[in-house]
Amino acid sequence: MNIHKLDIENHSHIIGRQDGITGDSIKANDEVVFCAACQSVFLKDSWKYMSGKHCDQFRTLRFMPEPTPNLIIRNGIKITENVIFEFKNEFLSQINELIKLVVPFAMRNIFLLLASVVIALMWIFIPNDAYNGQKTEYTLFLSVIILFVSHYFKPMWTETRSKEIENLDFINTNSGLKILETGIILGKNFHNYDQIEKITTSKSEKKHKFTIELKDNSKFTKNLSLKNYERTKPFYLALAWTAQFVEVHFQAEDKREQRLLRRIEQNYAGRIFIAESSVIS
């Protein structure tokens, strides 16, 4: 159980909420717990009363929902730029991870793999009656020597290069949405929060329609394939984070998503609007 103690300076967006069980107003210096599934806030004793279970699970948030970013600016130059959320193509991500697994393995064992090819070719092309009918014994003897030499004299550079490859992305898995501290990258365009009038997300089956409306009346839309709740959840939390800068509209039909959005509406300080089972225009 992750317990957080509230103070008036840093947690004013939590203080004043109501405990989900007793209805008591949460005050400064109270010890609270956040359900990891829906981010509901409970007094520590209320969580114990529920036997530490909510939303059919027992996990609690290790962090406290934070409505304001920590952004350091010096002489007009931003020191850090954290990525709040980045949408990636799930299929391409899996392919990319497979490549990053196979290529380093092949590189670390490149001589061993070449030796195995040589042994296979030997077995195929050596006549069955060669070496006085001892083709099998001869091939096995040479195999042992080749495998030993290839393993013993394995070059050191393969280990270094394979580690470098593990940190590379062979495929561009970014599908064109990145939420940053200072704005949103949609496709090839960066939109500063000062330029954005409203953000809208509406869900149709397993696809989310994500729309940015700028203050100059221009509009940009992208369809995101978020196939399950676990992928949708960080997307919603990232948008809730942006609500401190811009107006954010949600449309949700899934019951778990609705519960999450209600907790977001309570716990995050921002302009957040939620509709159920209907698309917001």
Side-chain angles (χ1 to χ4, degrees):
M1 177 171 61
N2 298 293
I3 301 173
H4 308 275
K5 189 171 183 178
L6 302 177
D7 64 74
I8 191 66
E9 181 178 354
N10 298 310
H11 308 129
S12 59
H13 60 294
I14 302 297
I15 294 170
R17 304 279 192 265
Q18 286 188 324
D19 177 90
I21 296 297
T22 64
D24 293 340
S25 180
I26 293 175
K27 304 179 297 298
N29 298 319
D30 280 344
E31 292 184 319
V32 298
V33 175
F34 293 89
C35 170
C38 68
Q39 295 203 356
S40 294
V41 60
F42 299 93
L43 293 168
K44 180 179 69 174
D45 291 341
S46 295
W47 188 260
K48 290 181 178 179
Y49 173 78
M50 296 186 298
S51 301
K53 184 177 181 180
H54 193 255
C55 293
D56 297 322
Q57 56 89 50
F58 297 91
R59 294 178 295 112
T60 58
L61 286 182
R62 296 179 181 177
F63 62 91
M64 189 176 299
E66 179 60 56
T68 56
N70 296 317
L71 182 63
I72 302 173
I73 297 178
R74 186 177 300 154
N75 296 328
I77 300 175
K78 183 169 54 59
I79 306 301
T80 59
E81 174 77 357
N82 292 327
V83 177
I84 309 302
F85 175 81
E86 183 176 5
F87 176 74
K88 293 186 176 183
N89 184 291
E90 189 173 7
F91 175 74
L92 293 181
S93 296
Q94 292 175 351
I95 296 296
N96 195 57
E97 291 303 316
L98 180 61
I99 294 175
K100 290 166 68 173
L101 181 67
V102 172
V103 173
F105 174 81
M107 183 170 287
R108 290 191 184 102
N109 300 277
I110 185 169
F111 283 3
L112 195 62
L113 294 173
L114 291 174
S116 300
V117 172
V118 171
I119 293 168
L121 292 175
M122 286 171 53
W123 178 260
I124 293 171
F125 291 106
I126 293 177
N128 291 328
D129 57 353
Y131 306 102
N132 299 321
Q134 295 182 325
K135 172 184 175 179
T136 301
E137 291 81 355
Y138 177 76
T139 305
L140 287 174
F141 174 72
L142 286 181
S143 300
V144 172
I145 294 176
I146 293 173
L147 292 174
F148 173 78
V149 172
S150 64
H151 178 73
Y152 186 78
F153 291 100
K154 180 174 65 174
M156 296 300 296
W157 61 265
T158 57
E159 187 67 28
T160 302
R161 292 292 176 83
S162 61
K163 288 182 178 179
E164 292 176 355
I165 288 173
E166 288 175 351
N167 295 322
L168 296 176
D169 285 326
F170 290 86
I171 301 175
N172 182 15
T173 59
N174 182 10
S175 295
L177 172 63
K178 188 181 290 187
I179 299 176
L180 306 175
E181 289 182 336
T182 56
I184 294 177
I185 296 176
L186 191 62
K188 297 181 179 180
N189 299 316
F190 172 77
H191 305 286
N192 189 288
Y193 287 123
D194 291 338
Q195 301 173 315
I196 301 174
E197 180 70 30
K198 183 171 70 172
I199 296 174
T200 302
T201 179
S202 57
K203 185 176 180 181
S204 175
E205 295 180 350
K206 295 183 179 180
K207 288 187 177 181
H208 288 258
K209 183 179 179 181
F210 176 78
T211 302
I212 291 178
E213 298 180 34
L214 302 184
K215 293 179 180 178
D216 63 4
N217 296 322
S218 57
K219 183 183 295 186
F220 299 88
T221 300
K222 189 168 188 63
N223 291 319
L224 307 176
S225 179
L226 297 168
K227 297 182 179 180
N228 54 56
Y229 174 75
E230 294 305 320
R231 281 175 59 81
T232 301
K233 182 178 177 180
F235 171 59
Y236 280 172
L237 294 179
L239 287 184
W241 186 90
T242 68
Q244 60 192 299
F245 307 112
V246 300
E247 182 178 305
V248 181
H249 288 234
F250 291 93
Q251 176 263 327
E253 297 180 0
D254 184 275
K255 289 184 178 180
R256 287 185 299 175
E257 293 178 7
Q258 291 176 8
R259 288 197 297 267
L260 172 63
L261 290 174
R262 291 306 178 195
R263 300 289 76 77
I264 285 175
E265 192 176 37
Q266 293 176 9
N267 294 334
Y268 283 73
R271 290 169 292 168
I272 300 173
F273 304 90
I274 299 170
E276 299 173 5
S277 302
S278 62
V279 177
I280 304 174
S281 57

